[in-house]
Amino acid sequence: MGLQIDPAFVQAAEHRPKSTISDAGGIPLIDLSPLLHHHIPSDPSDPAIADEISNLIAQIGEACKDWGFFQVVNHGVEVELLEKVEAVTKEFFALPAEEKRKVKRGEVNPMGYYDAEHTKNVRDWKEVFDFSVTEWETKLLRLENHWPENLPEMREICEKYYKGVEKLGYKLLELIALSLNLSAKRLSDFYENSNSYVRLNHYSPCQSPDLVLGVGRHKDCGGLTILFQDEVGGLDIKRKTDGEWVRVKPIHNSFIINLGDIIQVWSNDKYESVEHRVSVNSKKDRYSIPFFFNPSSSTNVKPLEELVSEDNPPKYHEYNWGDFYKARKDSNFQKLEKENVQIYHFKRV
């Protein structure tokens, strides 16, 4: 990316990362191994719920309320699969630039390679490759994968990874629903024909890490994000208690989970989508692989009726997820002269 920093990458002074940042020692670490021995109940009032599962649901609920982020271990996704997808990610980004551009995304189809994404109208210091396992098209958007010809094993590995993490995603949705005192399938019912996708991220070393960000401050607009990252680290979370940025310390073979805006709206603000960003490293490449677990594009998002009442009226107007997603993709693709769409635009006054 050159010796001179292109001004397009430079963050406003108030949003630049500090030279030192504390580790987020308090981010909850949750062991999912009870799921290996017990099933997830369909009803939160089931008297036969195992104590281990009750405790797990309580831990998930506390993490969602206090942090909006947590890490999981013993999650059931095979370590060999994690190693393979990390290796093929590095192979892809090591390809010559002209080879990567052969699978470049477009304005209508956001799947494929891209190296000029913007967050809040500032260019991110990264390159990405997006893919899904379900291809579909609407009047506004098309999801169609582009796979590199000279990495024939990439598609199979990536699709296996998608399916493995999707399975984990459904389990997490059920636990989150139960933590809200909803039936286990209440949230996952919105996920038939979902427009979920996986992103491969590469953050190259930057000689001025104090001026740029790999991804600028933002909240995820979808349902749930499941992130696998390497050992380098760089994910920063804005801590809810004091608004300070804290670094998430990588834990080998773990996943980092964060709630998206849709769960915030469904929960009527009981749970919150938390602002985060990615800092870059001056010496090391960093790789991460988020799975953006999103409902069907036809979903109309609003506070769930079970979670509103006369004393706790709905805090958001209803909006269509497909329209919202398209608007956000447009603003990521190119710099706009206005703020991209946010859930607070749908907040009831």
Side-chain angles (χ1 to χ4, degrees), residues 261-285:
D261 289 342
I262 290 177
I263 288 183
Q264 177 169 335
V265 174
W266 280 338
S267 74
N268 205 33
D269 281 354
K270 181 171 183 180
Y271 295 162
E272 184 183 347
S273 172
V274 169
E275 198 167 47
H276 53 287
R277 68 184 187 191
V278 175
S279 294
V280 293
N281 195 289
S282 61
K283 297 176 181 177
K284 296 179 180 178
D285 293 271

PDB file of all heavy atoms in Angstrom, residues 261-285:
ATOM      1  N   ASP A 261     -27.176  -5.301  15.294  1.00  0.00           N
ATOM      2  CA  ASP A 261     -28.291  -4.374  15.514  1.00  0.00           C
ATOM      3  C   ASP A 261     -29.647  -5.070  15.544  1.00  0.00           C
ATOM      4  O   ASP A 261     -30.559  -4.645  16.263  1.00  0.00           O
ATOM      5  CB  ASP A 261     -28.311  -3.324  14.392  1.00  0.00           C
ATOM      6  CG  ASP A 261     -27.166  -2.331  14.481  1.00  0.00           C
ATOM      7  OD1 ASP A 261     -26.555  -2.224  15.551  1.00  0.00           O
ATOM      8  OD2 ASP A 261     -26.890  -1.649  13.471  1.00  0.00           O
ATOM      9  N   ILE A 262     -29.801  -6.130  14.744  1.00  0.00           N
ATOM     10  CA  ILE A 262     -31.110  -6.789  14.673  1.00  0.00           C
ATOM     11  C   ILE A 262     -31.492  -7.372  16.028  1.00  0.00           C
ATOM     12  O   ILE A 262     -32.652  -7.243  16.464  1.00  0.00           O
ATOM     13  CB  ILE A 262     -31.111  -7.869  13.575  1.00  0.00           C
ATOM     14  CG1 ILE A 262     -31.058  -7.196  12.187  1.00  0.00           C
ATOM     15  CG2 ILE A 262     -32.340  -8.761  13.675  1.00  0.00           C
ATOM     16  CD1 ILE A 262     -30.974  -8.169  11.030  1.00  0.00           C
ATOM     17  N   ILE A 263     -30.541  -7.991  16.721  1.00  0.00           N
ATOM     18  CA  ILE A 263     -30.856  -8.532  18.051  1.00  0.00           C
ATOM     19  C   ILE A 263     -31.142  -7.404  19.029  1.00  0.00           C
ATOM     20  O   ILE A 263     -32.000  -7.534  19.912  1.00  0.00           O
ATOM     21  CB  ILE A 263     -29.726  -9.464  18.535  1.00  0.00           C
ATOM     22  CG1 ILE A 263     -29.759 -10.769  17.714  1.00  0.00           C
ATOM     23  CG2 ILE A 263     -29.854  -9.768  20.028  1.00  0.00           C
ATOM     24  CD1 ILE A 263     -28.754 -11.824  18.104  1.00  0.00           C
ATOM     25  N   GLN A 264     -30.471  -6.270  18.872  1.00  0.00           N
ATOM     26  CA  GLN A 264     -30.791  -5.124  19.719  1.00  0.00           C
ATOM     27  C   GLN A 264     -32.246  -4.702  19.526  1.00  0.00           C
ATOM     28  O   GLN A 264     -32.973  -4.448  20.492  1.00  0.00           O
ATOM     29  CB  GLN A 264     -29.857  -3.948  19.413  1.00  0.00           C
ATOM     30  CG  GLN A 264     -30.197  -2.705  20.227  1.00  0.00           C
ATOM     31  CD  GLN A 264     -29.138  -1.625  20.140  1.00  0.00           C
ATOM     32  OE1 GLN A 264     -27.974  -1.901  19.881  1.00  0.00           O
ATOM     33  NE2 GLN A 264     -29.546  -0.385  20.356  1.00  0.00           N
ATOM     34  N   VAL A 265     -32.694  -4.642  18.269  1.00  0.00           N
ATOM     35  CA  VAL A 265     -34.080  -4.235  17.991  1.00  0.00           C
ATOM     36  C   VAL A 265     -35.052  -5.308  18.463  1.00  0.00           C
ATOM     37  O   VAL A 265     -36.045  -5.000  19.132  1.00  0.00           O
ATOM     38  CB  VAL A 265     -34.262  -3.932  16.489  1.00  0.00           C
ATOM     39  CG1 VAL A 265     -35.736  -3.660  16.175  1.00  0.00           C
ATOM     40  CG2 VAL A 265     -33.412  -2.741  16.073  1.00  0.00           C
ATOM     41  N   TRP A 266     -34.782  -6.587  18.126  1.00  0.00           N
ATOM     42  CA  TRP A 266     -35.674  -7.659  18.570  1.00  0.00           C
ATOM     43  C   TRP A 266     -35.852  -7.642  20.088  1.00  0.00           C
ATOM     44  O   TRP A 266     -36.934  -7.873  20.602  1.00  0.00           O
ATOM     45  CB  TRP A 266     -35.115  -9.017  18.143  1.00  0.00           C
ATOM     46  CG  TRP A 266     -35.380  -9.396  16.719  1.00  0.00           C
ATOM     47  CD1 TRP A 266     -36.358  -8.909  15.905  1.00  0.00           C
ATOM     48  CD2 TRP A 266     -34.657 -10.368  15.947  1.00  0.00           C
ATOM     49  NE1 TRP A 266     -36.295  -9.520  14.663  1.00  0.00           N
ATOM     50  CE2 TRP A 266     -35.259 -10.420  14.667  1.00  0.00           C
ATOM     51  CE3 TRP A 266     -33.569 -11.200  16.220  1.00  0.00           C
ATOM     52  CZ2 TRP A 266     -34.814 -11.274  13.660  1.00  0.00           C
ATOM     53  CZ3 TRP A 266     -33.113 -12.046  15.216  1.00  0.00           C
ATOM     54  CH2 TRP A 266     -33.725 -12.083  13.947  1.00  0.00           C
ATOM     55  N   SER A 267     -34.747  -7.374  20.811  1.00  0.00           N
ATOM     56  CA  SER A 267     -34.800  -7.398  22.282  1.00  0.00           C
ATOM     57  C   SER A 267     -35.336  -6.092  22.865  1.00  0.00           C
ATOM     58  O   SER A 267     -35.436  -5.957  24.085  1.00  0.00           O
ATOM     59  CB  SER A 267     -33.408  -7.670  22.855  1.00  0.00           C
ATOM     60  OG  SER A 267     -32.569  -6.527  22.732  1.00  0.00           O
ATOM     61  N   ASN A 268     -35.654  -5.137  21.994  1.00  0.00           N
ATOM     62  CA  ASN A 268     -36.155  -3.823  22.428  1.00  0.00           C
ATOM     63  C   ASN A 268     -35.173  -3.146  23.375  1.00  0.00           C
ATOM     64  O   ASN A 268     -35.539  -2.565  24.402  1.00  0.00           O
ATOM     65  CB  ASN A 268     -37.537  -3.955  23.083  1.00  0.00           C
ATOM     66  CG  ASN A 268     -38.349  -2.673  23.008  1.00  0.00           C
ATOM     67  OD1 ASN A 268     -38.243  -1.916  22.033  1.00  0.00           O
ATOM     68  ND2 ASN A 268     -39.160  -2.414  24.013  1.00  0.00           N
ATOM     69  N   ASP A 269     -33.882  -3.239  23.005  1.00  0.00           N
ATOM     70  CA  ASP A 269     -32.766  -2.596  23.719  1.00  0.00           C
ATOM     71  C   ASP A 269     -32.364  -3.288  25.018  1.00  0.00           C
ATOM     72  O   ASP A 269     -31.510  -2.778  25.752  1.00  0.00           O
ATOM     73  CB  ASP A 269     -33.025  -1.111  24.023  1.00  0.00           C
ATOM     74  CG  ASP A 269     -32.796  -0.218  22.818  1.00  0.00           C
ATOM     75  OD1 ASP A 269     -32.328  -0.722  21.771  1.00  0.00           O
ATOM     76  OD2 ASP A 269     -33.102   0.989  22.901  1.00  0.00           O
ATOM     77  N   LYS A 270     -32.934  -4.472  25.312  1.00  0.00           N
ATOM     78  CA  LYS A 270     -32.427  -5.196  26.487  1.00  0.00           C
ATOM     79  C   LYS A 270     -30.984  -5.594  26.234  1.00  0.00           C
ATOM     80  O   LYS A 270     -30.138  -5.535  27.132  1.00  0.00           O
ATOM     81  CB  LYS A 270     -33.279  -6.429  26.773  1.00  0.00           C
ATOM     82  CG  LYS A 270     -32.787  -7.192  28.007  1.00  0.00           C
ATOM     83  CD  LYS A 270     -33.729  -8.285  28.455  1.00  0.00           C
ATOM     84  CE  LYS A 270     -33.202  -8.943  29.728  1.00  0.00           C
ATOM     85  NZ  LYS A 270     -34.098 -10.024  30.204  1.00  0.00           N
ATOM     86  N   TYR A 271     -30.682  -6.027  25.027  1.00  0.00           N
ATOM     87  CA  TYR A 271     -29.320  -6.320  24.602  1.00  0.00           C
ATOM     88  C   TYR A 271     -28.901  -5.263  23.588  1.00  0.00           C
ATOM     89  O   TYR A 271     -29.728  -4.746  22.831  1.00  0.00           O
ATOM     90  CB  TYR A 271     -29.222  -7.703  23.973  1.00  0.00           C
ATOM     91  CG  TYR A 271     -29.499  -8.854  24.904  1.00  0.00           C
ATOM     92  CD1 TYR A 271     -29.810 -10.117  24.406  1.00  0.00           C
ATOM     93  CD2 TYR A 271     -29.459  -8.696  26.294  1.00  0.00           C
ATOM     94  CE1 TYR A 271     -30.066 -11.188  25.259  1.00  0.00           C
ATOM     95  CE2 TYR A 271     -29.712  -9.760  27.147  1.00  0.00           C
ATOM     96  CZ  TYR A 271     -30.022 -11.004  26.619  1.00  0.00           C
ATOM     97  OH  TYR A 271     -30.274 -12.050  27.460  1.00  0.00           O
ATOM     98  N   GLU A 272     -27.611  -4.966  23.564  1.00  0.00           N
ATOM     99  CA  GLU A 272     -27.130  -3.868  22.717  1.00  0.00           C
ATOM    100  C   GLU A 272     -26.015  -4.330  21.788  1.00  0.00           C
ATOM    101  O   GLU A 272     -25.126  -5.082  22.183  1.00  0.00           O
ATOM    102  CB  GLU A 272     -26.613  -2.732  23.613  1.00  0.00           C
ATOM    103  CG  GLU A 272     -26.177  -1.496  22.845  1.00  0.00           C
ATOM    104  CD  GLU A 272     -25.612  -0.410  23.751  1.00  0.00           C
ATOM    105  OE1 GLU A 272     -25.789  -0.524  24.988  1.00  0.00           O
ATOM    106  OE2 GLU A 272     -24.987   0.519  23.230  1.00  0.00           O
ATOM    107  N   SER A 273     -26.085  -3.870  20.554  1.00  0.00           N
ATOM    108  CA  SER A 273     -25.000  -4.038  19.598  1.00  0.00           C
ATOM    109  C   SER A 273     -23.918  -3.009  19.941  1.00  0.00           C
ATOM    110  O   SER A 273     -24.201  -1.813  20.008  1.00  0.00           O
ATOM    111  CB  SER A 273     -25.542  -3.802  18.180  1.00  0.00           C
ATOM    112  OG  SER A 273     -24.522  -3.768  17.221  1.00  0.00           O
ATOM    113  N   VAL A 274     -22.695  -3.479  20.165  1.00  0.00           N
ATOM    114  CA  VAL A 274     -21.652  -2.615  20.721  1.00  0.00           C
ATOM    115  C   VAL A 274     -20.653  -2.188  19.640  1.00  0.00           C
ATOM    116  O   VAL A 274     -20.284  -2.969  18.767  1.00  0.00           O
ATOM    117  CB  VAL A 274     -20.933  -3.343  21.886  1.00  0.00           C
ATOM    118  CG1 VAL A 274     -19.685  -2.602  22.323  1.00  0.00           C
ATOM    119  CG2 VAL A 274     -21.892  -3.495  23.063  1.00  0.00           C
ATOM    120  N   GLU A 275     -20.236  -0.929  19.741  1.00  0.00           N
ATOM    121  CA  GLU A 275     -19.292  -0.384  18.770  1.00  0.00           C
ATOM    122  C   GLU A 275     -17.928  -1.070  18.908  1.00  0.00           C
ATOM    123  O   GLU A 275     -17.464  -1.343  20.017  1.00  0.00           O
ATOM    124  CB  GLU A 275     -19.145   1.121  19.007  1.00  0.00           C
ATOM    125  CG  GLU A 275     -18.552   1.865  17.831  1.00  0.00           C
ATOM    126  CD  GLU A 275     -18.699   3.375  17.969  1.00  0.00           C
ATOM    127  OE1 GLU A 275     -18.401   3.918  19.060  1.00  0.00           O
ATOM    128  OE2 GLU A 275     -19.103   4.011  16.986  1.00  0.00           O
ATOM    129  N   HIS A 276     -17.313  -1.350  17.769  1.00  0.00           N
ATOM    130  CA  HIS A 276     -15.984  -1.964  17.758  1.00  0.00           C
ATOM    131  C   HIS A 276     -15.222  -1.497  16.523  1.00  0.00           C
ATOM    132  O   HIS A 276     -15.775  -0.843  15.644  1.00  0.00           O
ATOM    133  CB  HIS A 276     -16.081  -3.495  17.822  1.00  0.00           C
ATOM    134  CG  HIS A 276     -16.971  -4.100  16.780  1.00  0.00           C
ATOM    135  ND1 HIS A 276     -18.349  -4.019  16.820  1.00  0.00           N
ATOM    136  CD2 HIS A 276     -16.696  -4.819  15.660  1.00  0.00           C
ATOM    137  CE1 HIS A 276     -18.874  -4.634  15.787  1.00  0.00           C
ATOM    138  NE2 HIS A 276     -17.891  -5.133  15.055  1.00  0.00           N
ATOM    139  N   ARG A 277     -13.938  -1.839  16.464  1.00  0.00           N
ATOM    140  CA  ARG A 277     -13.077  -1.412  15.366  1.00  0.00           C
ATOM    141  C   ARG A 277     -11.913  -2.393  15.283  1.00  0.00           C
ATOM    142  O   ARG A 277     -11.770  -3.286  16.128  1.00  0.00           O
ATOM    143  CB  ARG A 277     -12.547   0.004  15.613  1.00  0.00           C
ATOM    144  CG  ARG A 277     -11.567   0.062  16.780  1.00  0.00           C
ATOM    145  CD  ARG A 277     -11.091   1.452  17.130  1.00  0.00           C
ATOM    146  NE  ARG A 277     -10.031   1.367  18.149  1.00  0.00           N
ATOM    147  CZ  ARG A 277      -9.551   2.403  18.819  1.00  0.00           C
ATOM    148  NH1 ARG A 277     -10.029   3.613  18.599  1.00  0.00           N
ATOM    149  NH2 ARG A 277      -8.583   2.228  19.695  1.00  0.00           N
ATOM    150  N   VAL A 278     -11.070  -2.230  14.264  1.00  0.00           N
ATOM    151  CA  VAL A 278      -9.879  -3.057  14.135  1.00  0.00           C
ATOM    152  C   VAL A 278      -8.656  -2.148  14.008  1.00  0.00           C
ATOM    153  O   VAL A 278      -8.574  -1.323  13.089  1.00  0.00           O
ATOM    154  CB  VAL A 278      -9.959  -3.989  12.906  1.00  0.00           C
ATOM    155  CG1 VAL A 278      -8.647  -4.759  12.733  1.00  0.00           C
ATOM    156  CG2 VAL A 278     -11.130  -4.962  13.053  1.00  0.00           C
ATOM    157  N   SER A 279      -7.720  -2.287  14.933  1.00  0.00           N
ATOM    158  CA  SER A 279      -6.442  -1.582  14.841  1.00  0.00           C
ATOM    159  C   SER A 279      -5.463  -2.431  14.023  1.00  0.00           C
ATOM    160  O   SER A 279      -5.578  -3.661  13.989  1.00  0.00           O
ATOM    161  CB  SER A 279      -5.866  -1.329  16.241  1.00  0.00           C
ATOM    162  OG  SER A 279      -6.689  -0.429  16.957  1.00  0.00           O
ATOM    163  N   VAL A 280      -4.510  -1.772  13.383  1.00  0.00           N
ATOM    164  CA  VAL A 280      -3.549  -2.505  12.556  1.00  0.00           C
ATOM    165  C   VAL A 280      -2.187  -2.555  13.231  1.00  0.00           C
ATOM    166  O   VAL A 280      -1.907  -1.826  14.178  1.00  0.00           O
ATOM    167  CB  VAL A 280      -3.433  -1.881  11.143  1.00  0.00           C
ATOM    168  CG1 VAL A 280      -4.729  -2.076  10.379  1.00  0.00           C
ATOM    169  CG2 VAL A 280      -3.071  -0.403  11.211  1.00  0.00           C
ATOM    170  N   ASN A 281      -1.341  -3.435  12.714  1.00  0.00           N
ATOM    171  CA  ASN A 281      -0.038  -3.715  13.302  1.00  0.00           C
ATOM    172  C   ASN A 281       1.047  -3.151  12.393  1.00  0.00           C
ATOM    173  O   ASN A 281       0.934  -3.208  11.165  1.00  0.00           O
ATOM    174  CB  ASN A 281       0.120  -5.236  13.441  1.00  0.00           C
ATOM    175  CG  ASN A 281       1.250  -5.622  14.357  1.00  0.00           C
ATOM    176  OD1 ASN A 281       2.409  -5.458  14.015  1.00  0.00           O
ATOM    177  ND2 ASN A 281       0.907  -6.171  15.516  1.00  0.00           N
ATOM    178  N   SER A 282       2.097  -2.613  12.965  1.00  0.00           N
ATOM    179  CA  SER A 282       3.162  -2.020  12.146  1.00  0.00           C
ATOM    180  C   SER A 282       4.093  -3.072  11.550  1.00  0.00           C
ATOM    181  O   SER A 282       4.814  -2.789  10.583  1.00  0.00           O
ATOM    182  CB  SER A 282       3.975  -1.022  12.976  1.00  0.00           C
ATOM    183  OG  SER A 282       4.580  -1.684  14.075  1.00  0.00           O
ATOM    184  N   LYS A 283       4.076  -4.290  12.089  1.00  0.00           N
ATOM    185  CA  LYS A 283       5.046  -5.305  11.648  1.00  0.00           C
ATOM    186  C   LYS A 283       4.409  -6.593  11.132  1.00  0.00           C
ATOM    187  O   LYS A 283       5.001  -7.280  10.306  1.00  0.00           O
ATOM    188  CB  LYS A 283       6.002  -5.648  12.799  1.00  0.00           C
ATOM    189  CG  LYS A 283       6.844  -4.469  13.252  1.00  0.00           C
ATOM    190  CD  LYS A 283       7.711  -4.831  14.450  1.00  0.00           C
ATOM    191  CE  LYS A 283       8.526  -3.624  14.915  1.00  0.00           C
ATOM    192  NZ  LYS A 283       9.325  -3.930  16.125  1.00  0.00           N
ATOM    193  N   LYS A 284       3.238  -6.933  11.623  1.00  0.00           N
ATOM    194  CA  LYS A 284       2.676  -8.252  11.320  1.00  0.00           C
ATOM    195  C   LYS A 284       1.403  -8.160  10.479  1.00  0.00           C
ATOM    196  O   LYS A 284       0.578  -7.265  10.681  1.00  0.00           O
ATOM    197  CB  LYS A 284       2.345  -8.996  12.622  1.00  0.00           C
ATOM    198  CG  LYS A 284       3.552  -9.319  13.477  1.00  0.00           C
ATOM    199  CD  LYS A 284       3.113 -10.032  14.755  1.00  0.00           C
ATOM    200  CE  LYS A 284       4.306 -10.367  15.641  1.00  0.00           C
ATOM    201  NZ  LYS A 284       3.877 -11.014  16.902  1.00  0.00           N
ATOM    202  N   ASP A 285       1.261  -9.123   9.553  1.00  0.00           N
ATOM    203  CA  ASP A 285      -0.020  -9.316   8.881  1.00  0.00           C
ATOM    204  C   ASP A 285      -1.005  -9.904   9.877  1.00  0.00           C
ATOM    205  O   ASP A 285      -0.633 -10.690  10.753  1.00  0.00           O
ATOM    206  CB  ASP A 285       0.133 -10.291   7.710  1.00  0.00           C
ATOM    207  CG  ASP A 285       0.984  -9.729   6.584  1.00  0.00           C
ATOM    208  OD1 ASP A 285       0.411  -9.087   5.698  1.00  0.00           O
ATOM    209  OD2 ASP A 285       2.220  -9.932   6.605  1.00  0.00           O
TER     210      ASP A 285
END
